[in-house]
Amino acid sequence: MKASIPLSLVIVSNFFLSVSCSIQNSNLELFLKCLLHDHVEPSNPISELIYTRNNSSFQSVLNAYIKNRRFLTASTPKPLAIVTPNHESHVQATIKCSNQAGLELRIRSGGHDYEGLSYTSTVPFVVLDMFNLRKIDINIADETAWVQAGATIGELYYQISNVSKLHAFPAGVCPTMGAGGHITGGGYGNLMRKYGLSSDNVVDAQLVGVEGRILNRESMGEDLFWAIRGGGGESFGVILAWKIKLVSVPEKVTVFNVGKTTDQATSQGATDVIYKWQQVAPKLPGELFIRAMPKVVNGSRPLEKTILVSFIGMFLGQISSLIPLMNQQFPELGLRAEDCHEMSWVESTLFWDQYRIGTSIKVLLNRSTDVKFSSKNKSDYVKNVIPKKALEEIWTKMINFGNMWMQWNPYGGRMSEISESETAFPHRAGNLFKIQYCALWEEEGINSTNLYTSKIRDFYASMAPYVSNSPREAFLNYRDLDIGNSNPSNKTSLLSDADVYGAKYFKGNYKRLVEVKTKVDPFNFFKNEQSIPPDLVNF
């Protein structure tokens, strides 16, 4: 027999739900009134750029930049409104009006936040969706470019290639990432051992602060400019655009993808090769980047699973120079000339995104993606070589897990030359490589989500002996709420909560980030579950 719910409890619950809805509606009305009547320039109307839940296009606009099925559910919290600015004045107005109406503001440039923090919240909120602000201006004479926050990395790569075949920008291998969030979180790719991170190659920026002013490097000051390069700009304001420094690449680069399995029947010796990779990859010349990617695949026998480690590389040079280098420094991989492909740098960006060789570079302009999976991601930094016996234990745990993969990205080169305090991004010398963990699942429903997130947490816990500690470091752009979070409904966000994830993401730079936050946003308008809080005690 089911237990009955007291009528009084039902009445009280409905009352509070009614009050909550009433407050939200009131806040939304204040927000819209402010936005439509008080703060927008007549020459730049905003009315058709606002989507409330009553708008027939609301759901499609919201879903267009959700890259994880985990958040494509009816239970995922929805914004009261989405504003899609096409002029900087719209950004200024949205900041002012959401602040006045008491609504939280979430900022989305590409939608790749692994925990969905750019478009979800547990308190009443508005999404500022930057996809219309996507202008890219390249000045090849001084080797710089202005890139608006809503432009994708793929669009940037495409525009660079239209102007020069000898220039590039060090950023990620996923072309649909938004420039705003990717760069401010650090942003890395296969050029990082030669040129560092995306944020290391920023020379100016435009940001709208809490008071609605548009600031550049000079007017924001060096402290804030330091903070938004690797510290997460969403804690300090809204990034409008970056001025980036382009880097030099040869007319032809060389790429390869060589797989080795742990399957004893094929005798490919993946464990021996990746054991050596740990020792070699961080010490190779900066022109050579080799990612190791272990994943679970079918074995040579029926119903058997094994580990395939893909060694995916890019060399800023030709095959004739790469093969002797590999034979001398990493012969264990057995790289052959026939494994390699020479192509332009922009064509290599398609190779890294797993397009067939010969695909038109126009695919870099595609923004839509087929979101097939739910996922949960985590990160680690490795400072000491993982022993072979431990590697074998890791493979066994991966096989028991099932549908998961890891990416091991080598450090060294330029990454070891830049000081931990040069920008807000601290993970520099002393790291052999960075790990990304990813669990994938197609099953729908909260039970599946709970199952796979629990499994990846257990796997992550088992890796503790082999990775950094005190703190166990993490990468901001691989957002992970498991490492600590604060309550967004708490206007002051307790420092004690933020200290936990702050130390892991930012190490010794966290204290300076708090100081900058206290100076530019003391009442913590720009916040999320893992933002930088102000120190009101010492304000």
Side-chain angles (χ1 to χ4, degrees):
M1 180 177 178
K2 293 183 179 179
S4 61
I5 301 174
L7 179 60
S8 59
L9 181 59
V10 173
I11 293 173
V12 170
S13 298
N14 288 338
F15 171 76
F16 281 112
L17 180 61
S18 176
V19 170
S20 175
C21 291
S22 176
I23 293 173
Q24 288 189 33
N25 290 335
S26 176
N27 289 349
L28 178 59
E29 288 176 8
L30 288 173
F31 172 72
L32 295 175
K33 179 180 181 299
C34 171
L35 205 57
L36 293 171
H37 301 291
D38 297 344
H39 285 295
V40 175
E41 301 172 2
S43 58
N44 295 296
I46 197 172
S47 58
E48 294 187 2
L49 303 172
I50 306 168
Y51 300 84
T52 65
R53 294 175 183 178
N54 295 326
N55 190 300
S56 60
S57 299
F58 173 84
Q59 199 64 50
S60 61
V61 172
L62 178 62
N63 291 352
Y65 290 90
I66 294 179
K67 309 298 184 181
N68 187 341
R69 289 194 66 84
R70 184 154 61 101
F71 304 110
L72 284 170
T73 67
S75 60
T76 300
K78 307 297 191 294
L80 296 179
I82 305 168
V83 182
T84 60
N86 60 20
H87 189 268
E88 58 191 24
S89 65
H90 300 154
V91 176
Q92 294 172 288
T94 303
I95 292 171
K96 292 179 181 178
C97 294
S98 55
N99 199 353
Q100 290 179 17
L103 294 173
E104 193 166 279
L105 184 66
R106 295 297 167 104
I107 307 142
R108 183 166 73 171
S109 58
H112 283 266
D113 188 298
Y114 279 163
E115 297 285 13
L117 298 192
S118 61
Y119 52 85
T120 67
S121 178
T122 57
V123 299
F125 72 108
V126 169
V127 168
L128 185 61
D129 211 337
M130 304 291 283
F131 64 84
N132 283 324
L133 294 173
R134 61 177 77 175
K135 188 176 180 181
I136 299 170
D137 287 324
I138 297 174
N139 185 338
I140 206 65
D142 68 359
E143 300 181 305
T144 63
W146 274 104
V147 184
Q148 287 191 314
T152 67
I153 297 301
E155 289 166 349
L156 173 60
Y157 292 166
Y158 182 85
Q159 295 297 343
I160 292 172
S161 72
N162 278 347
V163 177
S164 170
K165 306 303 180 187
L166 300 176
H167 288 85
F169 183 68
V173 301
C174 177
T176 57
M177 292 185 295
H182 180 65
I183 295 174
T184 198
Y188 83 96
N190 49 35
L191 289 173
M192 75 172 183
R193 301 190 65 254
K194 176 67 174 178
Y195 293 112
L197 306 172
S198 301
S199 51
D200 295 328
N201 292 274
V202 170
V203 296
D204 203 346
Q206 288 185 327
L207 173 142
V208 184
V210 70
E211 296 178 351
R213 293 175 55 220
I214 297 176
L215 308 171
N216 60 17
R217 179 174 184 172
E218 181 179 1
S219 58
M220 76 175 68
E222 287 302 306
D223 283 342
L224 182 52
F225 185 63
W226 172 89
I228 63 175
R229 289 177 295 148
E234 69 276 6
S235 291
F236 307 97
V238 177
I239 303 291
L240 285 178
W242 301 104
K243 186 178 183 181
I244 60 172
K245 177 176 61 179
L246 304 182
V247 300
S248 298
V249 291
E251 187 173 352
K252 293 292 183 181
V253 303
T254 301
V255 295
F256 60 86
N257 186 340
V258 175
K260 302 287 184 182
T261 72
T262 59
D263 193 331
Q264 294 182 353
T266 59
S267 302
Q268 292 183 339
T271 302
D272 290 337
V273 179
I274 200 169
Y275 175 73
K276 186 65 174 181
W277 173 92
Q278 297 178 82
Q279 303 168 64
V280 172
K283 297 178 181 178
L284 290 169
E287 290 78 10
L288 179 54
F289 178 95
I290 306 175
R291 166 183 285 174
M293 186 170 176
K295 64 179 179 180
V296 181
V297 298
N298 292 326
S300 58
R301 301 179 183 86
L303 304 179
E304 181 184 66
K305 296 292 184 180
T306 189
I307 298 297
L308 169 67
V309 182
S310 298
F311 296 89
I312 312 166
M314 184 173 79
F315 176 61
L316 299 178
Q318 297 181 329
I319 298 173
S320 58
S321 298
L322 174 62
I323 296 300
L325 173 64
M326 290 292 287
N327 287 341
Q328 179 183 21
Q329 300 199 32
F330 192 18
E332 291 81 2
L333 184 59
L335 185 68
R336 304 166 301 171
E338 52 264 38
D339 299 320
C340 303
H341 307 275
E342 291 183 358
M343 58 187 64
S344 67
W345 167 77
V346 72
E347 290 170 334
S348 79
T349 66
L350 303 187
F351 177 88
W352 278 83
D353 200 34
Q354 301 181 30
Y355 284 98
R356 289 186 178 183
I357 293 175
T359 300
S360 168
I361 65 169
K362 288 185 178 180
V363 299
L364 291 171
L365 302 178
N366 293 345
R367 285 178 163 252
S368 61
T369 54
D370 187 8
V371 185
K372 297 179 180 179
F373 298 98
S374 294
S375 64
K376 170 65 180 177
N377 299 66
K378 304 177 82 67
S379 63
D380 261 321
Y381 286 87
V382 178
K383 300 178 186 296
N384 298 295
V385 172
I386 301 175
K388 286 184 182 181
K389 183 178 179 181
L391 291 172
E392 292 169 352
E393 293 172 353
I394 291 169
W395 307 150
T396 299
K397 291 170 185 173
M398 287 185 69
I399 290 171
N400 290 337
F401 185 111
N403 197 15
M404 72 162 292
W405 51 254
M406 291 189 284
Q407 287 178 349
W408 294 13
N409 297 286
Y411 265 46
R414 181 67 180 140
M415 292 298 293
S416 294
E417 298 169 355
I418 301 172
S419 162
E420 287 190 359
S421 60
E422 179 70 20
T423 68
F425 183 93
H427 312 287
R428 303 291 186 173
N431 292 300
L432 297 179
F433 56 98
K434 172 173 61 183
I435 298 178
Q436 177 180 190
Y437 310 91
C438 181
L440 298 169
W441 63 96
E442 293 183 279
E443 301 92 327
E444 303 288 347
I446 190 63
N447 291 335
S448 294
T449 295
N450 290 341
L451 171 65
Y452 285 99
T453 54
S454 177
K455 289 173 71 173
I456 196 68
R457 286 166 184 157
D458 289 344
F459 186 88
Y460 174 80
S462 74
M463 292 292 291
Y466 317 117
V467 300
S468 62
N469 59 77
S470 300
R472 185 171 181 177
E473 299 170 30
F475 178 39
L476 179 63
N477 274 0
Y478 293 163
R479 179 87 67 185
D480 181 8
L481 290 178
D482 292 343
I483 70 170
N485 62 85
S486 58
N487 185 351
S489 65
N490 181 344
K491 192 148 183 82
T492 58
S493 285
L494 294 176
L495 273 171
S496 58
D497 294 335
D499 287 350
V500 178
Y501 59 81
K504 296 174 182 179
Y505 283 138
F506 306 114
K507 300 175 64 178
N509 292 337
Y510 170 66
K511 180 180 178 181
R512 185 178 175 189
L513 286 167
V514 171
E515 291 172 353
V516 176
K517 173 71 170 186
T518 306
K519 180 180 178 181
V520 303
D521 184 20
F523 299 108
N524 204 19
F525 171 68
F526 294 110
K527 61 182 180 294
N528 60 42
E529 288 81 354
Q530 285 191 336
S531 57
I532 301 296
D535 182 3
L536 294 185
V537 174
N538 297 308
F539 176 57

